[in-house]
Amino acid sequence: MRGAWRSGLVVVLLLAIAPVGSSAQVLARLGYRFNQPAPVPWLAGNAVTDILIAGGKVWAGTGGGLSVSEDGGRSWRSYSRAHGLGKGGVSALARRRDTIWTATAFDTLITNIGYLPAGGGLSYSVDGGATWQWIPQPGPTPVQNVTYDIALTDEAVWITSWGGGLRRSLDMGATWEVVTPDTFLFDPYGNLNHRAFAVIAVDDTLWVGTAKGINKSIDGGRTWVNMNHQNQPRPISGNFVVALAHQRSQGKSLLWAATVEAEDPDEFRAVSVSDDGGRSWRTVLRGEFVHNFGFDPVAGTVYAVSDNGLWKSVAPDSFLVFPPIVDTDTGQRVYTTQFYCAAVGQDGYLWVGTADGLARTNNNGFTWQVFRAYVPTGSGGAPRTYAYPNPFSPMRHNQLGADGYVRFQYNTTKPARVTIRIYDFAMDLVATVVEGKARPAGDFSEAWNGRNDRGDLVANGVYFYRLDIEGEGTFWGKVMILN
């Protein structure tokens, strides 16, 4: 499963907070190998675009790089460009046996055009992430050539991108060839079926989602069958296929496709599912822009993630959306409805990646643990508190409901009560974020929605905040508001 073009674009637009150091590159046979520093010991970023769970490890692709945890999220190792990954955030992630592949993407400024997405290349590790080998982005240019998805077979590595189409490597990325899912010469500008976004390999069958439907090959890509909204009696909902996933449940082999409308006004965005090898499709979650899927291998439950949250199947073709996620222990809330990925481990934990962090539950969302990336405060010369994102736009950042949120990060060295107040440039009180909130020793953040105590959005400008930690002192910071 995998691959959402939207996720790739999201990655390049979000701020990566993991520090990126420098490292020497060593020319190797297939690309560049890096003299790699130690991985960063925290989650790489809060925009989590892909999740893989295997062998007791949870891999999380983020806007700041790739993270892995072997203890249920209590600790992380994170890799970025300094460790051999490409430039930018993770746009695709795949695993086969002991080999992990990842692709990255970033924004690049093109003269007289503006910012466009670009592929940062691919990297793979055969030793659990201890070392990485980087491969330049295949194709004539990295611009508008982001790798959105990766599929691995015994013989080949398959990747998809808008400008680069469907490509295959038979030698671990040393060389690549374009494979068109039809009989025409490669033309990503004139042929929608050559703009590829999703790819999965299921047994001996390859499935490729493009801007003109779903393509199926049972002979390694030599011949193809195309399924689209126009050529079947019971077709897929839309021809723009942004994600594909496979599920085995109750003896059935199910193919799930997240689609949006392409050119035909009869098409619509929804999820299409087939249990007969693509000969017919039924539609669920009509109107939802779904980015990806996760499956409970024991219960057979289907999870779909969309711009409007996390959905769970509660009956055949019937889904309900989860309420907002709040960490049961810390009260930390996920401030977004944009969910990008989901996966269920053998231990029954459901993991979800959002635009505002990572979360997991093992009891159907009754309780949650939330994992977020942050730079620790109060040690190693770091300030005792800081605000992020900063500058902060209540109209754009961490949107949930009608509000956006900025966080104030801080730490306590012992159990204490915490108060945070906001002041304007004249040092008049604007808002009280928390007052006398009990916190144990540790790292915490409090969120502010950019409104004053009357409920009005504050004007643009610089604001000061005062953090009072009982028994430890008063600490000041500032945040810029830009609507």
Side-chain angles (χ1 to χ4, degrees), residues 196-341:
F197 300 100
V199 58
I200 59 171
V202 182
D203 300 326
D204 295 329
T205 302
L206 194 68
W207 300 86
V208 177
T210 72
K212 195 179 180 181
I214 298 172
N215 302 274
K216 176 182 179 182
S217 175
I218 59 174
D219 56 9
R222 287 187 292 276
T223 61
W224 297 87
V225 175
N226 177 260
M227 293 151 275
N228 59 54
H229 186 75
Q230 290 77 29
N231 69 1
Q232 291 182 297
R234 296 177 60 191
I236 58 175
S237 46
N239 283 346
F240 198 148
V241 181
V242 299
L244 292 169
H246 178 259
Q247 178 195 24
R248 298 188 195 280
S249 178
Q250 299 180 339
K252 293 183 177 180
S253 178
L254 301 167
L255 188 71
W256 295 80
T259 81
V260 298
E261 59 276 18
E263 294 182 327
D264 189 335
D266 288 338
E267 299 175 22
F268 55 93
R269 60 189 58 190
V271 170
S272 299
V273 56
S274 174
D275 59 8
D276 59 5
R279 289 187 293 276
S280 64
W281 302 82
R282 63 182 192 275
T283 298
V284 299
L285 287 173
R286 182 169 181 144
E288 283 298 314
F289 193 139
V290 170
H291 299 296
N292 225 317
F293 306 94
F295 306 106
D296 185 326
V298 176
T301 305
V302 181
Y303 297 94
V305 289
S306 79
D307 284 344
N308 292 312
L310 170 66
W311 301 80
K312 175 187 176 181
S313 63
V314 293
D317 300 342
S318 179
F319 285 76
L320 290 178
V321 68
F322 278 78
I325 292 175
V326 180
D327 189 295
T328 307
D329 293 330
T330 67
Q332 189 168 213
R333 180 179 292 267
V334 173
Y335 287 109
T336 186
T337 60
Q338 292 186 309
F339 285 60
Y340 300 137
C341 50

Side-chain angles (χ1 to χ4, degrees), residues 87 112 119 161 281 289 319 330 439 450 472:
K87 181 180 179 181
N112 298 326
S161 75
W281 302 82
F289 193 139
F319 285 76
T330 67
R439 287 295 197 187
E472 298 196 39

Side-chain angles (χ1 to χ4, degrees), residues 30-95:
L30 300 180
Y32 288 91
R33 188 178 65 251
F34 287 68
N35 291 328
Q36 298 164 353
V40 175
W42 52 72
L43 190 64
N46 288 321
V48 181
T49 54
D50 212 344
I51 300 172
L52 275 179
I53 302 176
K57 298 179 181 179
V58 177
W59 294 86
T62 82
L66 179 63
S67 302
V68 60
S69 175
E70 299 183 52
D71 55 11
R74 288 188 294 277
S75 65
W76 296 90
R77 301 191 309 273
S78 293
Y79 306 94
S80 64
R81 198 176 184 187
H83 307 95
L85 272 61
K87 181 180 179 181
V90 172
S91 60
L93 188 60
R95 166 191 169 270

Side-chain angles (χ1 to χ4, degrees), residues 40 168 211 278 377 401-402 442:
V40 175
R168 173 178 63 187
T377 58

Side-chain angles (χ1 to χ4, degrees), residues 351-376:
W351 292 77
V352 293
T354 80
D356 189 37
L358 183 67
R360 75 168 190 168
T361 179
N362 66 346
N363 52 20
N364 197 29
F366 182 72
T367 60
W368 287 94
Q369 286 179 274
V370 175
F371 306 92
R372 304 195 73 262
Y374 62 90
V375 177

Side-chain angles (χ1 to χ4, degrees), residues 24-35 133-134 136:
Q25 298 181 19
V26 178
L27 184 61
R29 184 172 64 88
L30 300 180
Y32 288 91
R33 188 178 65 251
F34 287 68
N35 291 328
Q133 180 140 327
W134 177 72

Side-chain angles (χ1 to χ4, degrees), residues 369-415:
Q369 286 179 274
V370 175
F371 306 92
R372 304 195 73 262
Y374 62 90
V375 177
T377 58
S379 63
R384 192 62 186 272
T385 181
Y386 61 86
Y388 69 103
N390 194 3
F392 162 59
S393 170
M395 309 299 290
R396 190 166 68 90
H397 293 130
N398 298 329
Q399 290 284 301
L400 186 66
D403 287 322
Y405 292 87
V406 60
R407 284 186 171 87
F408 303 109
Q409 188 75 33
Y410 65 94
N411 73 295
T412 55
T413 61
K414 57 186 179 182

